Each structure stands twice: as structure tokens, then as C-alpha cells.
Amino acid sequence: MSLSDEQVSAIAELARLSVPRDALRGLAQELSAILDFVAQMNAVDTSGVEPMAHPQDVPQRLRPDEVTETIDRARYQAVAPAVSHGLYLVPRVIE
Amino acid sequence: MTGESLHLESVAGLVRGLAERRFSSEAVTRHFLDRIARLDARLNSIVTVTAETALDQAREADGRIARGQPRPLEGVPLLHKDIFCTQGVRTACGSRMLDNFVSPYDATVVSRLRAAGAVMLGKANMDEFAMGSSNETSFYGPVRNPWDTERVPGGSSGGSAAAVAARLTPAATGTDTGGSIRQPAALCGITGLKPTYGRVSRWGMIAFASSLDQAGPMAVSAEDCAHLLRAMAGFDERDSTSMNRPVPDYVAALEAPVDGLRVGLPREWFGEGLDAGVAEVVESAVAVLRELGAEVREVSLPHVGLSVPAYYVVAPAEASSNLARYDGVRFGYRCKDPRDLHDLYVRSRSEGFGAEVKRRILIGTYALSAGYYDAYYRKAQQIRRLIREDFLRAFETVDVLAGPTSPTPAFRIGERTRDPVSMYLSDVNTIAANLAGLPALSMPAGFTAGLPVGLQLVGRDFDEGRLLGVAHRFQQATDWHRRVPPGFE
């Protein structure tokens, strides 16, 4: 498995990460080495094996759809980079 | 025990001494705060010291003890890995991304230990977002191994392990996604337990790979771990994967006899790549178990060799999804002067995350991207089932599995940073228990070339009590866990 520089750039864009041009080749090689290593999985035939989502095969527990707590907006927004009037501020999206 | 040697007391010894009022929690807490101030510059194991809070909590504990109302861990100091949210205290998870994050709430593990009377000394250094096996990926710099400060303490709970080993704290919390409690416990010569998936609440524990992450105790001995786990474990309705099962009294379970215990040695853990010195130590530790009355036999886990490859699909895939929340909008790092929303996302993430975290996000994003899901994530989840079935088959004939926690002792700082795959192989023996959801423990088994070696025990689902009991019996017959690194006596 060998990832091209273009593929790495495309994956980085999906992940909202930027990779400096001069670091692309090195990163592509590292990621390719990891994928080569991971490809050892193909040595085993897994057809018919049910994928394991939970060790004890327990489904996600659901709770009743009831209000259990109220949000203290000021407390949770105290850690935000930029807020105004209880709203999170980001750069203008619509011109 | 005099004031000068309080740091050599066990958690159990502190609980007793405090109850008998041989010393106060304030004196104990000051003693450890003083050691941290004097000695941690050599290790960098602690990123935040909460001295004032600790002393307030200690005085409160002394008041409760004086009134005859002590709780199970009343007045015992401990450290929290910086992955656990602590209200009003910075919770950075080893990352620049969260360097400015002061948590508005406590993790369940934190509030449970607090409700049991424990005193928080501060927050322990760790690999960034728990991604690492050497504590070299921390934004706050590498942690050093107290047995040899040129070497790594292991990771990702390396700060917790180094601080316990150096007796800067009697105990610490850790988390384990692929070995992050057990591997550093082994490399630093302490005891650490990863509980069964679902045993301890993950609420307020910053998520890395949600189907693998578990919190657990790290301390000098199994007995001390039992005291911590008793307070940490239990159902939490705020964690949808928390299991609603009664919590046994792990301290009472310590006295179970080892006589007749069936111990399996998976031959796959004794093959290629195992350091000769480690093999020798593990062999003599197994001989001790035999002398205690255990029946030892060889077993096989045929698919366990695929643990690391499967893990490096599942963990990065889940991480790429979990870490999507760090977008510079609601909390955490935000880049300067973003041009537009896209620039805000990309630069906040690119500047806020370190190299290893980005590598894993990219691998995970690739594995989950259109057309690759079946080849990677689904395949890895199928292999997980095969690995778990291997364990269940082995547990039909034995009660616990034993082997080396790590194939090598602590390696040098910088030795494996250039080759990610060689770093990943540090966890070759620990990852399988996470994939299978099983409880596993590492305990000090001896030394090779002056460095500690850990013996790993893996048990059946929810068999933490048995693992702690076996380790406790072993520790009554040996004194490896009581060795203190030179310079930290």
C-alpha cells in the first residue's frame, strides 16, 4: 500500500488538517508503512465472522426521553474562544 | 512510621494510620507536595499541582476523621491523569489543543474518588490524547523514568506511573486503550490494572477510542489498586457503555488462595522479539506462582498476533471521529485571525494537535473513508471477535493468563520516535485485552539490567478480584514492588 502525496492531501482535507508541502512526502511514507503493517490482517479469512461492536455483545442502553438536567450556559461558555450574547462567534460565513 | 518516610506507606497503611490518628491527612499531603516540589523537576511527571485544593481537602478529611466519620479513602492523596476532567482545574490531556481548557465539571472517576475521601494532589503528564507508548508526545515535554532518567516511563499514563514509582504520590488514576496503564506500570516497576470494558465509567474521561478506553488504578501494590478500584468501579447512567453489575469488595477478595489456580502461558507471548532478560524474569515470576500452588500450562491464542494491526485500524478510526469535536469553536485552541470558517477549523486543528495525533487522525480518516470501510474497520472488528474467541477458549482450561507485559524493559528517550510502527509494537502483549474487553493487570516481577520488568495477568470478564488476589499473593511472597528507584528513597 503506497499513498501518493495527492491522496494524503485529500485525506488531510477530509480531516480538516493542513500538511505543509515539504512534509507531504515524509508523511505519505509513514502512513503507507502503517497501512502495510495493518495489511497483515488480510492473512486471515474472516468471511462469515460477525464484526464485534462490544466485547459482551451488549447493545447501547437507551434512557427515557426526559429532561434530566438544564445547561448552565454561562458556565459552559466560559471556556469558549469567543462568545457574545450567549452565542459562539466564528468568522462571517454568509457575505 | 515517622514523618520522613510517609511516602513509603501503602494506601492501605495510610488509611489505617489516618484512622488511628498516627498522622494527619494534612501532614501526609504536605509531605507529598513537598516531595513533588523537590523531586519532580527530574521527571516532569506532573503538569498541574493543586496544592491549595489538596490542603483544603486534607483538612476536611482530618475533620471527618476527628468526628469519627471517615470514608473508605479518607485523607489519602492521589494524582489524576490529565485525561480526567476536573472542575475548575486545567484538563489539557497532554495537548496544546486543551492547554487553555479549565473543565466545568468533574469526571465520574474523579467525583467517585472524591466522594470516597481521596485528596487530589494534581494532574499527571501523559502522551497527547493518550496516543503514545513512551510519554514523548506530550505538549508538556517527555516524562522520564525514575529508574533511569535517560529512558521513557512508557505511556500513555507515563506521568502517573513515574510519579507512583518515585513515591511522589501513593497512587494515581490512569487510562488504558491499548496498554496505557499496564505498559508504563511495567516499565516503572509498579502495579496497574485495566478493568473489564464497562466496569469503570468513561464519563468525563476525554475520549480516544471509545470501544477500547477504560480507566483504572495505578499504585505500588495490588492491595492499593484494590482500594482504589473499589471506589472507582460501578454503574454510571451517564456512560451508555457502563455495565450495571454489582461491585465486589475487591479488598476482601485479596485473601483468596492461589492454591489450585490454573495459569495459562500463551506461547505467542514468549516468541520472537522477547528480550532475553525479560524472559528470564518472567520465568522466575511464574516459578513463584507455581510455588504458591498454581498449576501452570501452555496455551495458545492463535489470532493474537493480529492484535496490533487490528488495533491500529480500530483506535485511529474511533479517534478520528472523537477528535472531530476539536474545531476551535466551543472550547480549546483557536488559531489567530482566521480568514474564514474553513481556515478556522484547519489552522486551529493543525496548530493545536501534535504529530502523532495528526498521524492517527489521518489513518483513521482514511480507514473510514468511502470504499475502505469494509477492508479496514469491518475487517478489524471481525478480527477482534476472533481474538476474543481465542481468549474464551483458553479460559475453558485455565483461570488466568500470564506473560510479559512488555517484550522489552524501558527504552531510551528518542529511540523509537522516528519509526511509528516500532513504537506501536511496544504494546504487542497488552492490546489484545483491550480488543477483547478483558481485565488485565501488570505487576512488578523483577529487574533486568537495573530496569523493572512487569508480569501481565489477564482474566475473564469482571474477574478483577481474582487478578488482584493473585497479584497480592505474589506480592506477599516477593518484594519487587517495594523497591524504590535510587535517589527517590
Side-chain angles (χ1 to χ4, degrees):
Chain A
M1 188 73 220
S2 186
L3 291 179
S4 66
D5 295 6
E6 292 68 34
Q7 277 176 300
V8 174
S9 292
I11 301 162
E13 174 54 24
L14 286 174
R16 296 293 183 269
L17 290 171
S18 68
V19 181
R21 193 165 284 281
D22 60 353
L24 260 181
R25 195 78 289 268
L27 187 61
Q29 282 166 357
E30 279 175 2
L31 298 181
S32 301
I34 295 169
L35 293 174
D36 282 341
F37 174 71
V38 157
Q40 289 176 26
M41 294 195 303
N42 298 327
V44 181
D45 178 10
T46 50
S47 47
V49 177
E50 182 68 16
M52 191 182 101
H54 188 289
Q56 282 96 23
D57 287 322
V58 179
Q60 289 269 298
R61 192 163 32 78
L62 299 176
R63 64 166 176 82
D65 185 16
E66 289 161 6
V67 176
T68 55
E69 47 194 306
T70 51
I71 300 291
D72 179 349
R73 190 165 66 182
R75 195 166 124 215
Y76 292 120
Q77 288 195 332
V79 290
V83 290
S84 174
H85 300 90
L87 304 172
Y88 293 95
L89 297 187
V90 294
R92 185 180 293 276
V93 178
I94 301 163
E95 295 297 334
Chain B
M1 185 96 10
T2 65
E4 290 70 45
S5 52
L6 278 172
H7 56 281
L8 300 178
E9 274 288 6
S10 63
V11 169
L14 289 172
V15 169
R16 262 194 309 277
L18 287 163
E20 292 165 7
R21 305 182 58 183
R22 279 189 280 123
F23 36 75
S24 68
S25 174
E26 186 174 348
V28 173
T29 302
R30 279 190 195 284
H31 181 76
F32 281 105
L33 288 172
D34 174 63
R35 283 182 66 80
I36 291 168
R38 278 192 297 119
L39 301 170
D40 194 45
R42 297 188 211 162
L43 302 177
N44 193 32
S45 68
I46 299 166
V47 290
T48 304
V49 180
T50 52
E52 270 179 49
T53 313
L55 290 169
D56 285 345
Q57 293 177 348
R59 283 186 284 261
E60 188 195 325
D62 287 332
R64 274 184 171 263
I65 292 165
R67 292 194 302 276
Q69 299 166 333
R71 297 164 291 183
L73 291 172
E74 196 69 61
V76 176
L78 50 79
L79 275 178
H80 286 300
K81 184 178 182 180
D82 207 21
I83 197 168
F84 292 102
C85 285
T86 43
Q87 186 170 348
V89 176
R90 183 183 67 180
T91 301
C93 214
S95 183
R96 182 184 192 193
M97 183 60 83
L98 291 175
D99 183 52
N100 62 4
F101 180 67
V102 176
S103 175
Y105 68 104
D106 277 333
T108 298
V109 162
V110 171
S111 53
R112 274 178 175 270
L113 285 165
R114 182 70 201 118
V119 167
M120 177 173 77
L121 293 171
K123 307 290 295 285
N125 201 349
M126 55 180 285
D127 276 302
E128 185 177 6
F129 284 102
M131 298 179 195
S133 308
S134 65
N135 229 295
E136 292 168 287
T137 71
S138 171
F139 175 61
Y140 302 97
V143 176
R144 292 170 181 275
N145 190 315
W147 290 97
D148 177 350
T149 53
E150 297 304 308
R151 290 176 189 268
V152 304
S156 67
S157 311
S160 300
V164 170
R167 275 47 172 188
L168 305 184
T169 179
T173 53
T175 60
D176 190 314
T177 303
S180 283
I181 287 176
R182 291 160 287 153
Q183 184 254 19
L187 270 42
C188 290
I190 66 159
T191 308
L193 171 74
K194 180 202 88 76
T196 311
Y197 185 74
R199 176 78 292 186
V200 175
S201 170
R202 294 186 297 110
W203 197 78
M205 188 176 116
I206 295 172
F208 161 15
S210 302
S211 77
L212 303 164
D213 297 342
Q214 259 297 286
M218 304 175 79
V220 168
S221 67
E223 184 182 22
D224 290 356
C225 286
H227 278 271
L228 258 74
L229 184 64
R230 190 166 61 172
M232 294 166 75
F235 177 63
D236 180 4
E237 63 180 16
R238 289 180 295 192
D239 170 3
S240 68
T241 59
S242 170
M243 296 289 276
N244 196 351
R245 289 174 64 116
V247 178
D249 184 341
Y250 296 114
V251 178
L254 291 171
E255 300 307 326
V258 168
D259 199 35
L261 179 85
R262 298 168 302 168
V263 177
L265 306 180
R267 75 171 66 98
E268 292 79 6
W269 290 347
F270 292 84
E272 202 188 329
L274 179 61
D275 175 271
V278 171
E280 211 170 290
V281 168
V282 166
E283 216 166 280
S284 35
V286 171
V288 172
L289 292 176
R290 259 200 207 96
E291 283 161 31
L292 291 168
E295 293 169 27
V296 180
R297 65 185 76 165
E298 196 180 275
V299 296
S300 177
L301 304 170
H303 298 96
V304 81
L306 295 174
S307 301
V308 187
Y311 177 87
Y312 278 95
V313 172
V314 174
E318 295 182 8
S320 72
S321 164
N322 272 323
L323 272 61
R325 76 189 69 182
Y326 302 102
D327 59 2
V329 174
R330 292 171 200 83
F331 60 94
Y333 179 80
R334 174 182 283 199
C335 67
K336 291 261 177 308
D337 306 319
R339 282 192 314 276
D340 52 31
L341 195 56
H342 184 267
D343 185 48
L344 168 74
Y345 293 152
V346 171
R347 275 205 292 129
S348 297
R349 290 167 62 76
S350 302
E351 293 166 17
F353 291 137
E356 179 61 22
V357 171
K358 287 186 214 171
R359 204 149 40 217
R360 296 206 198 182
I361 290 174
L362 293 171
I363 286 288
T365 304
Y366 178 73
L368 293 178
S369 60
Y372 294 104
Y373 182 85
D374 283 359
Y376 290 103
Y377 196 75
R378 188 182 151 85
K379 180 85 181 176
Q381 293 286 64
Q382 289 173 313
I383 286 174
R384 266 184 99 166
R385 185 171 300 282
L386 296 177
I387 289 170
R388 180 166 163 89
E389 284 170 356
D390 283 355
F391 277 106
L392 298 185
R393 212 167 298 118
F395 286 132
E396 286 170 10
T397 57
V398 297
D399 302 307
V400 301
L401 298 170
T405 308
S406 165
T408 68
F411 45 93
R412 290 185 187 284
I413 292 173
E415 192 178 315
R416 299 190 189 175
T417 41
R418 282 173 169 274
D419 177 5
V421 172
S422 79
M423 184 71 84
Y424 299 168
L425 288 169
S426 312
D427 296 322
V428 64
N429 295 345
T430 49
I431 278 173
N434 299 83
L435 292 173
L438 298 166
L441 164 156
S442 179
M443 61 176 172
F447 288 81
T448 178
L451 297 169
V453 172
L455 182 75
Q456 175 173 238
L457 301 175
V458 182
R460 299 189 181 100
D461 288 330
F462 297 98
D463 219 3
E464 289 83 0
R466 192 199 302 261
L467 297 183
L468 291 165
V470 175
H472 181 61
R473 290 293 183 188
F474 180 86
Q475 292 178 337
Q476 287 177 317
T478 59
D479 71 348
W480 306 116
H481 61 293
R482 285 203 212 93
R483 306 287 176 93
V484 180
F488 294 94
E489 298 94 337

